[in-house]
């Protein structure tokens, strides 16, 4: 929802603003470029302007809603607002507020929220809120004010040479601009958890290298398809990044583990996965491994077992979902549009033993795994194939 004539999107960031001046400048430039990349990927004709602490997307009124959506999908953006730009004079702002109210205010309560970027204007924020509220009151029928919890909020932001009037703050993902942190390898199965974990580290600024282990006969016919589809959904948040899936053949190793390893099978397989990911991370110049694990969610993810599996690699293992409840993970998957693809039936649950080890020690697992497990990991990592999205 936007006022008539809106042709600019105000873009706000969060964590970027707490950085030092130099780092903030670098991150704002990256954020500008990332927003421009998403706009271009969606075919939206718009220009991104950077000013200190704010970015502005200039588009036509026909494109301003789509441009706002694009900005709100960009990592590092706290919120975005489609706004009409007017001169920073109180009378002009008040008339713009009145016109916006005539267009969009029908019932319920309202309030005006105003802020200024400097104190050089001949009015205070409080005065602008009071007088702007009066202008709205006189412009509509049956107005009702609620300054604490209004149904409709009219926003004003006054900067040095322009004032912006808008009706909403569309939430963005927050976090940091993608590309401001180092690259990470993400182990994606296509289940609900791993795409969400991947999205979470992207939100914190890290580009990802998606790695999928092809389980062969143990994966089911749709196992790879759902992994690729979830990564395809994630790639829309990062059109400038190479997010082709790195497919690693693991079916023969899975068959070996199924035949030779008992209760510790899943732990041994996860250690194999980590070692594969470590080799690929070094090839890709990445600096860590991402998984969708959460404490206690599965037998292989008890607090003790996580320590045993992590010991297979010298790379840090990042677990963004570590303390999240499943319901919260599902809600996030729905929000980022990976849930439907993640719930395509697949047969990978056939690799779990009937009575899995839940309280393993490193000694137990090392004694259970094949002596050449890590050599096999290095071998299959050398057979990686790229899956185009």
């Amino acid at each position: 929802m936007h006022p008539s004539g809106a042709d600019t999107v105000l873009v706000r960031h969060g964590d970027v603003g707490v950085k030092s001046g130099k780092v903030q400048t670098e991150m704002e430039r990256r954020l500008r470029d990332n927003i421009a990349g998403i706009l271009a990927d969606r075919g939206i004709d718009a220009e991104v302007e950077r000013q200190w602490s704010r970015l502005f997307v200039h588009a036509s009124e026909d494109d301003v809603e789509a441009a706002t959506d694009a900005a709100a999908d960009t990592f590092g953006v706290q919120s975005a607002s489609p706004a009409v730009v007017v001169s920073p004079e109180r009378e002009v702002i008040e008339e713009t507020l009145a016109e916006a109210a005539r267009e969009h205010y029908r019932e319920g309560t309202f309030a005006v929220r105003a802020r200024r970027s400097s104190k050089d204007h001949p009015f205070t924020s409080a005065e602008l809120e009071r007088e702007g509220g009066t202008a709205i009151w006189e412009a509509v029928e049956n107005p009702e004010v609620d300054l604490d919890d209004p149904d409709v909020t009219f926003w004003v932001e006054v900067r040095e040479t322009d004032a912006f009037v808008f009706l909403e703050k569309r939430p963005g993902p927050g976090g940091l601009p993608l590309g401001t942190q180092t690259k990470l390898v993400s182990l994606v199965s296509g289940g609900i958890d791993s795409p969400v974990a991947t999205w979470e580290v992207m939100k914190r600024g890290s580009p990802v290298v998606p790695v999928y282990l092809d389980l062969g006969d143990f994966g089911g016919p749709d196992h790879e398809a759902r992994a690729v589809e979830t990564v395809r959904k994630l790639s829309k948040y990062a059109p400038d990044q190479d997010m082709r899936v790195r497919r690693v053949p693991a079916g023969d190793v899975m068959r070996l583990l199924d035949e030779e390893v008992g209760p510790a099978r899943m732990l041994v397989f996860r250690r194999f996965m980590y070692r594969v990911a470590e080799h690929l991370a070094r090839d890709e110049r990445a600096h860590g491994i991402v998984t969708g694990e959460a404490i206690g969610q599965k037998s292989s993810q008890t607090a003790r077992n996580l320590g045993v599996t992590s010991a297979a690699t010298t790379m840090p293992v990042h677990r963004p979902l570590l303390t999240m409840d499943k319901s919260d993970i599902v809600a996030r998957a729905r929000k980022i549009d990976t849930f439907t693809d993640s719930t395509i039936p697949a047969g990978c649950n056939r690799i779990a033993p009937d009575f899995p080890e839940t309280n393993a020690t490193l000694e137990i697992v090392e004694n259970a795994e094949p002596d050449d497990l890590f050599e096999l990991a290095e071998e299959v990592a050398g057979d990686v194939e790229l899956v185009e999205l």
Side-chain angles (χ1 to χ4, degrees), residues 279-352:
H279 286 296
L280 294 178
R282 298 194 190 286
D283 291 342
E284 297 278 354
R285 297 184 179 179
H287 294 84
I289 300 166
V290 181
T291 78
E293 295 165 307
I295 292 177
Q297 188 178 122
K298 296 180 180 179
S299 61
S300 61
Q301 297 174 29
T302 62
R304 186 161 187 171
N305 284 351
L306 290 176
V308 171
T309 53
S310 296
T313 178
T314 59
M315 286 268 180
V317 180
H318 301 286
R319 299 179 173 98
L321 314 184
L322 189 67
T323 61
M324 290 179 66
D325 291 341
K326 189 69 175 185
S327 59
D328 295 328
I329 298 171
V330 168
R332 179 55 58 83
R334 292 185 186 278
K335 182 176 180 179
I336 65 176
D337 197 28
T338 58
F339 178 79
T340 300
D341 294 316
S342 294
T343 52
I344 296 172
C348 55
N349 58 327
R350 293 185 290 120
I351 66 179

Side-chain angles (χ1 to χ4, degrees), residues 33-38 41 235 237-242:
D33 293 344
N34 290 352
I35 294 172
I38 291 183
D41 184 64
S235 70
Y237 295 93
D240 295 337
Q241 300 290 328
D242 178 9

Side-chain angles (χ1 to χ4, degrees), residues 40-327:
D41 184 64
R42 299 183 183 184
I44 302 169
D45 184 13
E47 179 184 348
V48 186
E49 176 191 1
R50 172 188 165 268
Q51 296 182 18
W52 182 254
S53 81
R54 283 286 185 274
L55 286 91
F56 303 89
V57 180
H58 303 292
S60 68
E61 186 175 0
D62 289 341
D63 289 333
V64 75
E65 287 290 334
T68 305
D69 285 338
D73 281 343
T74 307
F75 297 114
V77 170
Q78 197 71 26
S79 64
S81 300
V84 60
V85 186
V86 298
S87 62
E89 302 169 58
R90 201 183 75 185
E91 294 78 6
V92 176
I93 296 170
E94 291 171 10
E95 178 53 37
T96 305
L97 285 168
E99 180 62 28
R102 284 189 285 266
E103 290 176 338
H104 296 286
Y105 180 54
R106 296 292 179 269
E107 59 183 1
T109 59
F110 81 92
V112 177
R113 301 279 190 260
R115 68 183 300 273
R116 299 169 302 154
S117 62
S118 75
K119 300 183 183 299
D120 296 335
H121 302 286
F123 50 81
T124 67
S125 298
E127 288 172 343
L128 190 56
E129 290 178 346
R130 183 175 62 251
E131 298 304 323
T134 299
I136 292 173
W137 183 277
E138 295 174 349
V140 299
E141 296 181 1
N142 303 317
E144 185 179 352
V145 174
D146 185 344
L147 299 182
D148 297 319
D149 187 24
D151 297 311
V152 180
T153 302
F154 296 86
W155 305 84
V156 182
E157 181 168 319
V158 184
R159 298 181 74 85
E160 287 78 4
T161 60
D162 294 302
F164 301 84
V165 176
F166 50 97
L167 303 173
E168 64 169 317
K169 291 184 177 181
R170 201 166 301 175
L176 297 173
L178 190 64
T180 58
Q181 301 297 308
T182 55
K183 191 187 301 183
L184 301 171
V185 161
S186 184
L187 290 165
V188 292
S189 66
I192 294 173
D193 303 328
S194 59
V196 175
T198 303
W199 188 90
E200 290 289 344
V201 296
M202 293 170 70
K203 171 186 168 182
R204 295 306 303 173
S206 287
V208 295
V209 179
V211 174
Y212 166 74
L213 272 71
D214 180 358
L215 303 182
D217 295 338
F218 291 87
D222 295 315
H223 195 251
E224 178 179 331
R226 71 181 192 177
V228 172
E229 285 304 313
T230 56
V231 174
R232 192 194 314 277
K233 293 289 178 62
L234 295 175
S235 70
K236 295 179 181 179
Y237 295 93
D240 295 337
Q241 300 290 328
D242 178 9
M243 290 192 65
R244 291 175 296 176
V245 177
R246 279 64 170 175
R247 178 174 56 205
V248 178
D252 290 343
V253 173
M254 194 63 252
R255 185 175 297 103
L256 174 66
L257 300 185
D258 183 53
E259 294 171 353
E260 297 188 4
V261 181
R265 184 187 309 148
M266 293 306 300
L267 303 182
V268 171
F269 183 63
R270 298 200 79 82
R271 284 165 57 81
F272 168 77
M273 290 171 59
Y274 292 160
R275 187 54 71 97
V276 170
E278 179 179 308
H279 286 296
L280 294 178
R282 298 194 190 286
D283 291 342
E284 297 278 354
R285 297 184 179 179
H287 294 84
I289 300 166
V290 181
T291 78
E293 295 165 307
I295 292 177
Q297 188 178 122
K298 296 180 180 179
S299 61
S300 61
Q301 297 174 29
T302 62
R304 186 161 187 171
N305 284 351
L306 290 176
V308 171
T309 53
S310 296
T313 178
T314 59
M315 286 268 180
V317 180
H318 301 286
R319 299 179 173 98
L321 314 184
L322 189 67
T323 61
M324 290 179 66
D325 291 341
K326 189 69 175 185
S327 59

